Amino acid sequence: DAKTTQPNSMESNEEEPVHLPCNHSTISGTDYIHWYRQLPSQGPEYVIHGLTSNVNNRMASLAIAEDRKSSTLILHRATLRDAAVYYCILRRTGANNLFFGTGTRLTVIP
Amino acid sequence: DAGVIQSPRHEVTEMGQEVTLRCKPISGHNSLFWYRQTMMRGLELLIYFNNNVPIDDSGMPEDRFSAKMPNASFSTLKIQPSEPRDSAVYFCASSPPGRGANVLTFGAGSRLTVL
């Protein structure tokens, strides 16, 4: 599976937008970009995924670069409950498994 | 929907003892995954099943680990004999067939401590 690179940690003020970057320069044409997050003492939780176009759902937005070598997860208004480790993962079309990297630990400052 | 249910939530055992972790996937989901999480190695995929059949067990650490899925609503991960380095949080996840196969739902995890 292609590798992703994320910053180890980021901070955000409460109520402000957060942009979490992910680099995946070796992405293939059949790789979906997935984001999961893990709140303290919980299992990972699905956030969003996309292939080529930007995606929005109730939790977040996913902005995918035109060349697909990078993407950004956008939390529009960070809350304290959004403090978690965010994982960016590439998943080949038709593949069932997910391989997690080290993720970005997001700290939200009140 | 109760989600993915794992038991026990916490287990403390002594080295050499057998440990069995249990998982009930979401009804209708046909893929099931076992992950292990430690501070040193992060989240590791151990094995996954599709329609109750093991598809990829390349992540299983060694012969002391075994996993079974006797039916669509139950899976076990067994460690025999257990060792202190097996201490970790073990997560079970499931996903539905079709387009929904993109989304994994995780359980709350089973925290194992081997003394």
Side-chain angles (χ1 to χ4, degrees):
Chain A
D1 290 272
K3 184 178 169 57
T4 63
T5 305
Q6 300 177 253
N8 287 333
S9 62
M10 290 184 65
E11 286 187 352
S12 173
N13 293 319
E14 196 178 8
E15 304 288 318
E16 291 188 358
V18 183
H19 290 231
L20 297 163
C22 181
N23 288 318
H24 28 79
S25 57
T26 60
I27 191 171
S28 78
T30 58
D31 285 341
Y32 278 82
I33 302 159
H34 289 253
W35 285 82
Y36 281 73
R37 72 179 184 181
Q38 187 172 20
L39 303 171
S41 301
Q42 295 188 28
E45 172 187 36
Y46 168 80
V47 177
I48 200 166
H49 76 277
L51 184 62
T52 55
S53 304
N54 295 343
V55 184
N56 300 295
N57 67 19
R58 63 175 180 81
M59 289 181 71
S61 295
L62 176 60
I64 302 173
E66 200 168 329
D67 64 4
R68 300 210 325 127
K69 293 185 185 300
S70 66
S71 60
T72 303
L73 179 71
I74 302 166
L75 307 179
H76 296 286
R77 285 181 64 198
T79 69
L80 297 178
R81 200 192 170 278
D82 291 321
V85 178
Y86 287 78
Y87 298 96
C88 171
I89 305 162
L90 299 184
R91 190 180 193 190
R92 192 137 298 168
T93 303
N96 265 355
N97 41 9
L98 274 180
F99 295 97
F100 287 76
T102 54
T104 297
R105 182 174 297 278
L106 175 66
T107 301
V108 180
I109 302 167
Chain B
D1 190 345
V4 176
I5 299 172
Q6 292 187 246
S7 63
R9 290 296 313 277
H10 302 273
E11 172 116 1
V12 180
T13 191
E14 293 191 346
M15 183 174 64
Q17 296 297 306
E18 177 179 295
V19 173
T20 299
L21 306 178
R22 298 172 177 80
C23 176
K24 177 178 168 55
I26 292 173
S27 177
H29 284 195
N30 70 334
S31 293
L32 183 139
F33 308 79
W34 282 101
Y35 284 84
R36 176 173 70 175
Q37 186 171 35
T38 61
M39 288 293 291
M40 290 294 294
R41 301 173 68 92
L43 270 162
E44 302 174 277
L45 176 63
L46 300 179
I47 185 171
Y48 83 90
F49 295 84
N50 188 252
N51 294 322
N52 311 338
V53 176
I55 302 300
D56 182 359
D57 65 354
S58 59
M60 294 286 263
E62 49 198 90
D63 292 345
R64 296 185 299 106
F65 284 69
S66 62
K68 293 182 179 179
M69 192 163 186
N71 57 62
S73 58
F74 184 65
S75 176
T76 59
L77 179 66
K78 186 175 293 187
I79 309 172
Q80 166 64 18
S82 59
E83 297 182 3
R85 60 190 167 126
D86 301 330
S87 297
V89 181
Y90 291 81
F91 289 103
C92 176
S94 68
S95 68
R99 287 193 64 181
N102 284 305
V103 179
L104 269 64
T105 302
F106 283 77
S110 294
R111 180 176 295 276
L112 173 65
T113 302
V114 183
L115 302 174

